[in-house]
Amino acid sequence: MATNTAGDVGQVYPQNMVHYLAKTISYTDDDATVTVGTLPPNAVVIDAGVVVTTAFSGGTVVLDVGVIGGDTDAYISAASLETAGRIEDTALNANDDYSTSAIQVGAYVTSNSTITAGSGVVYIEYILADR
């Protein structure tokens, strides 16, 4: 019977492979929630990080990445964005890396002042359980 309700969303490739979400962030995202994407049901997060392409400037600038409306630093916790380069975080733990339902992932850039420059790409890598 049709319910006119969409099923769980999230990128699922038909092959057994590593999936990912990626989203560009910039200094203009200070104190805003940036939606990175949706993890599908049974996604197992295996890695998370950010590649800072232009160092953020204008104060102490940190990044949290986590669940929108939940644990906002589940995947990345207080990563400094003031130096260009790749930053991986070790915030992942057994409570955060798996869910039987879809999860909206958000990135949160915060500072203690006005940010004047900076950009990067946030990424979450995941596999699907029980395939």
Side-chain angles (χ1 to χ4, degrees):
M1 176 169 103
T3 62
N4 293 327
T5 303
D8 285 322
V9 295
Q11 184 170 304
V12 178
Y13 298 120
Q15 301 88 4
N16 287 328
M17 59 194 312
V18 174
H19 297 58
Y20 68 92
L21 301 175
K23 184 71 173 182
T24 301
I25 57 169
S26 76
Y27 70 97
T28 59
D29 296 321
D30 190 19
D31 295 325
T33 300
V34 176
T35 301
V36 178
T38 303
L39 294 172
N42 302 314
V44 179
V45 176
I46 58 174
D47 194 17
V50 59
V51 176
V52 179
T53 53
T54 301
F56 286 68
S57 61
T60 302
V61 185
V62 296
L63 172 72
D64 290 333
V65 176
V67 180
I68 294 176
D71 186 357
T72 58
D73 64 353
Y75 309 122
I76 298 176
S77 180
S80 174
L81 300 177
E82 298 163 38
T83 303
R86 182 172 177 238
I87 303 164
E88 284 189 296
D89 197 81
T90 58
L92 297 175
N93 64 52
N95 297 323
D96 300 323
D97 61 1
Y98 177 78
S99 177
T100 57
S101 60
I103 294 175
Q104 284 287 108
V105 177
Y108 309 89
V109 176
T110 57
S111 70
N112 61 355
S113 62
T114 302
I115 305 173
T116 57
S119 64
V121 178
V122 172
Y123 64 90
I124 304 289
E125 295 179 357
Y126 62 97
I127 58 174
L128 296 170
D130 302 323
R131 289 199 46 163

